[in-house]
């Protein structure tokens, strides 16, 4: 283990700063256990200083014309593109997923930068006819103020960009609190934003635990919006606390996403989609497939095709291009994942493969878990209901299309679903009846594109969406301006 790892700082109001306490926390590589760097163990004082800096910067930033704000984001996109490989490698070292996926993560940030740069010349409001003569009405989007972005470790680049870029193009300023498992990727992103010409104070980054930094942001009266992605447990807490001061809150939380495989499905195609969605990112996506709902007529065939493919998946350091599945993020997630294997066995599900920590050879110092498949899972078992956030897949057998839809919808969550079928009528019915934020037809549950709304039903969120035009809503306040140029008092609804 290296003791020469670099010490990094918060960036608040255009100044690099240590935590007031002078304390730091270490950031580890989950594949090797190596220390990547030390980051300030911040608390309330640093969070409040960042809010004060963002509040001060807001008065100028809101007046920068939106097309100019968009141009800065365009340059951010150019710089992310230029540094894509380096950012991807940093991210793989810091959170483990394989390089092709961390490159994809940076790409989502690039896509979002270009998309929101364009919004600088749109930010559509609307003008519609008014009921009185010599009067006009126009609805515009105003920024809301200071936005706290609290982000997870599984998409260290993409998710912060989904929050910050729409917030910025709309004229808000930001306090960014990234997950403590991925501070370096977050810091790199902020550095790039300033290199692109962002005025000081517009984005402030504070490292530290949710319990202190996050909590201070929740309770600071000058924070207008909280945009949070993370666990359902923490999200619920955010909503409850933020409600006390009537903050706006946008939550993206758990998933228990299912791939439905009907009796007429192209099974080879389904196997590819299931493998990618269930074990990609080591199962640590909120869009990961963690349930397969299979028609009994093809269950055996599907397992026969899927099982050898799962067993062939190579675990290892994500920097090695021949590795399929990287480590899980940390020791506590590893033990949580394994506890679900025990729960599944106790519930009577059939553990077909995996179900254990892997410490063989070069995996010895990392947090590796064998890709796991349970069959004979019943829809109400905990392994079919609770988000595990790891490489654990539960297969549930059904005997009809209707039952498949019902099992899919029987979930506290509703982020992403998929259906494999060749029958156009079933596709149409699935489109109508599956209660989800995202539905894939003949593809896996992952891979949402940034120009569409991202988010889910039920306990996945609180009704908001990120990305696309919908992603602007939480960061903008509608303002309607009526101008009466009749020169007299006209009364709406009264003067006809
Ligand atoms: C997440 O899982 O937290 O659709 C985000 C996808 C990616 C983003 C997922 N574009 O899987």
């Amino acid at each position: 283990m290296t003791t020469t790892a670099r010490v990094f700082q918060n960036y608040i109001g255009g100044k690099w700063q240590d935590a007031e306490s002078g304390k730091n926390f270490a950031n580890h590589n989950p594949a090797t256990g190596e220390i990547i760097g030390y980051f300030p163990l911040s608390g309330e004082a640093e969070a409040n200083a960042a809010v004060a800096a963002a509040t001060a910067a807001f008065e100028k930033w809101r007046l920068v014309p939106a097309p100019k704000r968009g141009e800065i984001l365009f340059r951010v996109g150019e710089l992310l593109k230029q540094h894509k490989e380096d950012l991807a490698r940093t991210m793989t070292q810091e959170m483990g997923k394989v390089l092709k996926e961390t490159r994809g993560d940076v790409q989502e940030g690039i896509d979002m930068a270009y998309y929101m740069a364009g919004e600088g010349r749109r930010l559509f409001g609307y003008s519609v006819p008014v009921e009185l003569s010599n009067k006009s009405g126009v609805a515009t989007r105003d920024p809301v103020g200071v936005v706290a972005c609290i982000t997870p470790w599984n998409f260290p680049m993409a998710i912060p960009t989904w929050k910050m870029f729409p917030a910025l193009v709309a004229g808000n300023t930001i306090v960014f609190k990234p997950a403590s498992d991925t501070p370096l990727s977050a810091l790199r992103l902020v550095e790039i934003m300033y290199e692109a010409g962002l005025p000081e104070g517009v984005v402030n980054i504070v490292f530290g635990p949710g319990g202190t930094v996050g909590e201070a942001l929740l309770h600071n009266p000058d924070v207008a919006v909280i945009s949070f992605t993370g666990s359902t447990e923490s999200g619920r807490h955010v909503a409850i606390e933020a409600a006390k001061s009537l903050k706006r809150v946008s939550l993206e939380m758990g998933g228990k996403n299912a791939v439905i495989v009907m009796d007429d499905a192209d099974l080879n195609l389904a196997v590819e989609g299931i493998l990618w969605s269930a074990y990609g990112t080591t199962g640590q996506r909120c869009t990961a497939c963690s349930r397969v709902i299979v028609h009994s007529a093809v269950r055996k065939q599907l397992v026969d095709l899927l099982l050898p493919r799962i067993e062939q998946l190579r675990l290892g350091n994500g920097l090695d291009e021949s590795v399929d599945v990287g480590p899980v993020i940390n020791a506590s997630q590893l033990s949580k994942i394994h506890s679900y294997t025990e729960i599944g066995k106790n519930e009577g599900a059939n553990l077909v493969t995996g179900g254990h920590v892997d410490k063989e050879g070069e995996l010895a110092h990392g947090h590796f878990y064998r890709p796991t498949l349970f069959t004979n899972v019943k829809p109400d078992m905990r392994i079919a209901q609770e988000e595990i956030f790891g490489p654990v897949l539960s297969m549930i057998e059904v005997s009809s299309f209707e039952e498949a839809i019902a099992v899919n919808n029987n979930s506290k969550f509703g982020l992403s679903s998929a259906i494999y079928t060749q029958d156009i009528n079933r596709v149409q019915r699935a489109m109508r009846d599956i209660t989800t934020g995202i539905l894939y037809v003949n593809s896996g549950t992952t891979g949402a594109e940034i120009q569409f709304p991202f988010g889910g039903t039920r306990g996945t969120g609180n009704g908001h969406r990120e990305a696309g035009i919908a992603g602007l809503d939480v960061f903008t306040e509608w303002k309607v301006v009526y101008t009466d140029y009749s020169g007299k008092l006209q009364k709406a609804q009264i003067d006809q």
Side-chain angles (χ1 to χ4, degrees):
M1 244 180 229
T2 167
T3 48
T4 54
R6 216 181 124 185
V7 180
F8 295 90
Q9 293 176 302
N10 292 326
Y11 195 61
I12 300 174
K15 292 193 190 75
W16 294 103
Q17 302 177 16
D18 294 323
E20 272 184 18
S21 67
K23 288 190 187 144
N24 292 307
F25 64 91
N27 174 26
H28 293 94
N29 180 331
T32 62
E34 274 165 339
I35 293 180
I36 291 170
Y38 293 92
F39 290 81
L41 189 66
S42 315
E44 199 181 336
E46 295 78 8
N48 289 342
V51 175
T55 306
F58 177 64
E59 280 313 313
K60 280 196 188 142
W61 181 243
R62 76 183 180 86
L63 299 177
V64 173
K68 297 280 174 238
R69 297 194 296 249
E71 280 169 29
I72 295 174
L73 291 180
F74 186 86
R75 285 198 292 278
V76 172
E78 296 287 273
L79 288 167
L80 288 172
K81 206 158 116 183
Q82 198 179 312
H83 296 291
K84 182 172 173 179
E85 189 60 24
D86 180 42
L87 292 167
R89 297 187 90 81
T90 299
M91 206 190 304
T92 293
Q93 284 168 338
E94 167 164 83
M95 59 72 67
K97 66 186 174 188
V98 298
L99 267 179
K100 64 173 183 277
E101 294 186 24
T102 50
R103 288 181 191 126
D105 195 322
V106 181
Q107 188 59 45
E108 288 201 45
I110 297 169
D111 297 343
M112 188 57 99
Y114 291 149
Y115 184 88
M116 287 299 163
E119 277 304 315
R121 286 185 188 268
R122 284 188 295 267
L123 279 177
F124 287 136
Y126 55 94
S127 167
V128 286
V130 297
E131 65 187 49
L132 294 165
S133 17
N134 297 320
K135 182 183 173 189
S136 67
V138 64
T140 59
R141 288 179 185 271
D142 271 3
V144 190
V146 176
V147 175
C149 299
I150 305 177
T151 60
W153 44 262
N154 65 332
F155 277 81
M157 191 65 55
I159 291 178
T161 69
W162 300 355
K163 299 182 185 308
M164 292 201 277
F165 295 174
L168 288 174
V169 80
N172 302 279
T173 55
I174 289 171
V175 178
F176 176 21
K177 194 217 92 61
S180 295
D181 283 307
T182 49
L184 189 53
S185 299
L187 186 80
R188 294 284 180 249
L189 174 60
V190 170
E191 283 173 347
I192 282 175
M193 291 166 81
Y194 280 102
E195 197 182 328
L198 197 70
E200 301 297 0
V202 171
V203 171
N204 306 276
I205 186 164
V206 182
F207 302 100
T212 52
V213 178
E215 213 60 33
L217 295 173
L218 284 184
H219 293 106
N220 188 310
D222 292 332
V223 172
V225 184
I226 310 257
S227 180
F228 169 89
T229 300
S231 72
T232 305
E233 204 186 8
S234 306
R236 181 177 292 116
H237 175 73
V238 167
I240 291 169
E241 290 306 310
K244 295 178 183 166
S245 55
L246 300 176
K247 293 187 194 322
R248 285 185 182 207
V249 177
S250 164
L251 303 172
E252 289 296 342
M253 302 175 288
K256 194 69 194 175
N257 313 297
V259 169
I260 298 172
V261 182
M262 291 311 299
D263 48 352
D264 63 342
D266 176 338
L267 293 183
N268 290 307
L269 195 63
V271 164
E272 298 301 332
I274 293 166
L275 272 179
W276 175 236
S277 301
Y279 305 113
T281 322
T282 323
Q284 304 169 113
R285 287 189 183 214
C286 38
T287 54
C289 162
S290 54
R291 297 185 293 160
V292 169
I293 300 169
V294 61
H295 193 282
S296 50
V298 292
R299 187 200 61 88
K300 186 177 178 317
Q301 252 179 299
L302 183 69
V303 174
D304 289 348
L305 288 169
L306 189 58
L307 185 57
R309 296 291 302 280
I310 298 174
E311 292 183 336
Q312 279 157 23
L313 290 172
R314 224 189 120 209
L315 295 191
N317 190 326
L319 289 180
D320 174 347
E321 303 259 9
S322 69
V323 160
D324 300 303
V325 178
V328 302
I329 188 72
N330 56 35
S332 93
Q333 280 299 117
L334 190 67
S335 73
K336 178 182 167 198
I337 292 164
H338 187 62
S339 76
Y340 273 100
T341 293
E342 296 301 325
I343 289 167
K345 286 200 276 190
N346 290 334
E347 286 179 308
N350 180 25
L351 176 63
V352 182
T353 187
H356 61 88
V357 172
D358 200 335
K359 289 250 167 231
E360 290 280 304
E362 61 181 25
L363 308 185
H365 300 293
H367 308 300
F368 291 94
Y369 203 77
R370 269 315 305 171
T372 300
L373 175 67
F374 277 104
T375 58
N376 200 23
V377 177
K378 302 294 170 228
D380 290 325
M381 287 181 179
R382 286 183 63 191
I383 57 166
Q385 287 290 337
E386 296 175 20
E387 186 176 49
I388 299 172
F389 224 60
V392 179
L393 181 60
S394 295
M395 191 179 283
I396 302 166
E397 196 174 323
V398 293
S399 51
S400 68
F401 174 79
E402 289 71 21
E403 192 184 352
I405 301 286
V407 169
N408 178 85
N409 291 349
N410 169 22
S411 170
K412 291 189 294 230
F413 305 110
L415 181 55
S416 186
S417 293
I419 182 162
Y420 283 85
T421 178
Q422 304 293 317
D423 180 339
I424 189 156
N425 297 327
R426 281 175 169 167
V427 170
Q428 291 294 322
R429 286 168 65 196
M431 286 166 62
R432 186 191 61 194
D433 295 336
I434 290 187
T435 48
T436 182
I438 302 167
L439 172 64
Y440 289 90
V441 177
N442 291 326
S443 188
T445 54
T446 59
E449 300 185 23
I450 62 90
Q451 64 276 29
F452 289 105
F454 182 90
T457 61
R458 293 186 286 273
T460 290
N462 62 339
H464 292 286
R465 292 291 184 270
E466 297 194 295
I469 307 167
L472 292 168
D473 291 343
V474 77
F475 302 119
T476 53
E477 190 84 75
W478 282 111
K479 179 190 279 170
V480 178
V481 179
Y482 298 102
T483 305
D484 190 319
Y485 51 98
S486 68
K488 58 185 184 206
L489 175 65
Q490 302 194 90
K491 302 189 197 94
Q493 294 95 41
I494 293 169
D495 295 343
Q496 293 298 321

